[in-house]
Amino acid sequence: MSEKVLEKEVVGAVDNVAPTPDTGSDIDQIEWTAEEEKRLVRKVGLVVIPLLIMGFFVLQMDRGNIGNALTDFFFRDVGITQNQFNIGQNLMSLGIIPSNLVLYRVGPSLWIGCQIVAWGMVVVFQAFQKGLAAFLVTRLLLGLCESGFIPAALYTITRWYTRNETSKRFSWFFIGNMTANATSGLIAYGILHMRGVQGLAGWQWLFILEGLFTIFVGATFICFFPKSPSEPVSIFGYRYFTEREAQILTARVLRDDPTKAQKNKHMRWKEIKDALTNWKLISHLVLTVAGLAPAATLVSYGPTLVVSFGFGRLRSNALMSIGSWLQLLSNLLMGYVADKWDKRGPVAFVGVLFYMGFAIGNRLLIFSDNAGLRFAFLTLVIPFAVNWHPVNGAWMALNAQSAGERSITMALLIMGANVAAMIGSQLFQQEDGPLYPKGWAGIVALTVASFLAVSVSNWQYWWLNRREAEKGVTETKWKIAAQCQLRGLPWRAR
């Protein structure tokens, strides 16, 4: 919920002044300059974010390469039908583990890194699948191994950054996802030409080479990712920040949001209950499910749709990357604007509005003979398919009241994304192809639902903020005056 103007002006000014030494807290006593903090934030961005981006890159690459495999006779070689393929995609989305509960205990470097290595091994072994049973098992295992990565990564980001820095960093994190979408088609275009090498199909080489690269990324993550802001040391003892820098990293985040103080490695039942009973999350989760379901369909069937427009079988993989590159740029822009203006709701609203508009355009054009126009609208819907998602995630995280509640909230966000993937995997049915009029009608309905959900989210916070304002500023002024008196600072009511 947005802070009231009076609180932002006065409390913000109070928080930027170091408390008096008699507080007895090392975190309260440490001081630093704005330039020093700026350099430190830049350094965090060079140490923490790139490794998380690489993890997300290989996750999306390994999750989405099945769509590229479809253009290389995957159904025929494995011996499954399109509808059986959809069932396998559903099983992958069923894989859910209590990731952040484990993260609390073992830390991000080991937990996240081991997940990456695990799903990389599954990707390699799925190159040798044959038959429906093997296909279903490998998709389920891949979903189980991947499911904990995103909530663990999002929660980890909130531990390193302040509230007004979160949306931008979430957007940077999602660059890994979108870069994978943008490059996987180009990579697949080259690898799929290896059909026949050593007697293997092109899609088999795709899984083997990308799986081995994933294992390498996971091992790198384990070796180099720092344990925490207060203990910024790799598993082998390499220290990225000085003792003073570590103190500043911890102090700046906790002064901004004291709820991020993690005093133990166990989540309290109250935090779980608060997250699960928070009615304000309902519209966010509806937005996630309804909005991401069509995106899941486009990832799986995008290259196949381009083939149906009349483009070449392997060339379609490369053409699909155009929309993904545009998506990457729009994602960065939305994250920057959301943090710059401190307005996450309106930014998400605009993204979903364009998403709905281009989805409707695709549905209206399915019977058109103009292949170029159909490809253009398919390309234009992709930049808005998920660029609102990291902003929505940051919006949810900022409204959590404690570290544990924030962790559960991020897990709920990813569970919503998994449900969306299950729905999306069933939108395009074999009997509805190759134009998929029913599937596109479903996509339009879901984007309309996501637009209504983001509208409700914006309205509910506007209403709650207005209700708080109508209670009067007397109580707020009293709290601010008490803080100023406690810290020995002058205060004058306005």
Side-chain angles (χ1 to χ4, degrees), residues 455-466:
S455 300
V456 170
S457 291
N458 275 277
W459 175 84
Q460 73 185 13
Y461 290 117
W462 172 84
W463 177 74
L464 288 169
N465 284 332
R466 182 177 179 182

Side-chain angles (χ1 to χ4, degrees), residues 273-435:
K273 181 182 177 182
D274 287 344
L276 296 180
T277 58
N278 185 358
W279 61 269
K280 296 186 292 294
L281 295 180
I282 295 175
S283 58
H284 289 286
L285 295 177
V286 172
L287 168 60
T288 301
V289 173
L292 292 184
T297 305
L298 296 176
V299 169
S300 295
Y301 287 102
T304 303
L305 287 173
V306 178
V307 171
S308 72
F309 298 162
F311 296 95
R313 179 174 60 85
L314 299 183
R315 185 186 175 199
S316 65
N317 294 295
L319 289 174
M320 271 300 294
S321 68
I322 298 175
S324 299
W325 284 111
L326 294 174
Q327 183 184 76
L328 191 154
L329 295 175
S330 67
N331 170 66
L332 288 176
L333 177 62
M334 291 188 74
Y336 174 80
V337 172
D339 274 351
K340 183 72 173 178
W341 293 352
D342 196 23
K343 300 290 183 183
R344 286 143 196 100
V347 171
F349 177 88
V350 171
V352 175
L353 177 63
F354 277 95
Y355 183 28
M356 178 181 65
F358 285 119
I360 293 173
N362 274 276
R363 176 61 181 85
L364 294 175
L365 288 171
I366 59 172
F367 297 111
S368 172
D369 293 328
N370 190 332
L373 185 62
R374 293 185 66 192
F375 174 71
F377 266 80
L378 179 63
T379 299
L380 289 173
V381 76
I382 292 173
F384 299 97
V386 296
N387 62 359
W388 48 267
H389 181 48
V391 175
N392 183 46
W395 197 7
M396 294 170 69
L398 291 174
N399 281 288
Q401 300 302 310
S402 69
E405 184 181 342
R406 185 174 297 108
S407 176
I408 296 296
T409 298
M410 293 297 93
L412 290 173
L413 176 68
I414 303 309
M415 288 174 65
N418 284 351
V419 172
M422 294 173 64
I423 297 172
S425 66
Q426 296 296 327
L427 289 177
F428 283 2
Q429 296 291 318
Q430 187 171 340
E431 58 273 14
D432 194 32
L435 298 179

Side-chain angles (χ1 to χ4, degrees), residues 180-306:
N181 287 332
T183 59
S184 59
L186 300 174
I187 295 171
Y189 177 75
I191 295 178
L192 292 178
H193 280 90
M194 295 178 66
R195 171 173 279 270
V197 176
Q198 297 297 316
L200 298 176
W203 62 266
Q204 289 179 294
W205 280 114
L206 187 69
F207 289 148
I208 292 171
L209 295 177
E210 292 186 347
L212 290 175
F213 178 68
T214 297
I215 294 172
F216 170 76
V217 170
T220 303
F221 195 99
I222 293 172
C223 293
F224 295 105
F225 197 83
K227 294 180 180 180
S228 68
S230 60
E231 191 180 2
V233 183
S234 73
I235 194 172
F236 292 116
Y238 180 80
R239 189 172 190 88
Y240 295 97
F241 301 92
T242 66
E243 186 65 34
R244 171 173 169 76
E245 288 175 332
Q247 291 176 346
I248 296 174
L249 283 173
T250 304
R252 63 185 293 272
V253 171
L254 294 185
R255 286 190 193 180
D256 173 74
D257 185 358
T259 67
K260 292 181 181 179
Q262 188 175 343
K263 298 179 181 179
N264 56 64
K265 294 183 179 296
H266 302 277
M267 211 170 290
R268 294 174 296 164
W269 166 247
K270 183 181 183 302
E271 293 175 318
I272 299 175
K273 181 182 177 182
D274 287 344
L276 296 180
T277 58
N278 185 358
W279 61 269
K280 296 186 292 294
L281 295 180
I282 295 175
S283 58
H284 289 286
L285 295 177
V286 172
L287 168 60
T288 301
V289 173
L292 292 184
T297 305
L298 296 176
V299 169
S300 295
Y301 287 102
T304 303
L305 287 173
V306 178

Side-chain angles (χ1 to χ4, degrees), residues 73-95:
F73 311 110
F74 180 82
F75 289 154
R76 184 196 68 187
D77 292 349
V78 177
I80 61 173
T81 66
Q82 180 178 337
N83 291 342
Q84 289 171 336
F85 168 81
N86 290 343
I87 294 172
Q89 294 297 85
N90 266 350
L91 287 177
M92 187 176 71
S93 302
L94 284 175

Side-chain angles (χ1 to χ4, degrees), residues 14-32:
V14 170
D15 285 343
N16 285 330
V17 180
T20 53
D22 59 3
T23 60
S25 169
D26 292 338
I27 289 177
D28 286 342
Q29 292 179 24
I30 187 171
E31 298 181 37
W32 60 87

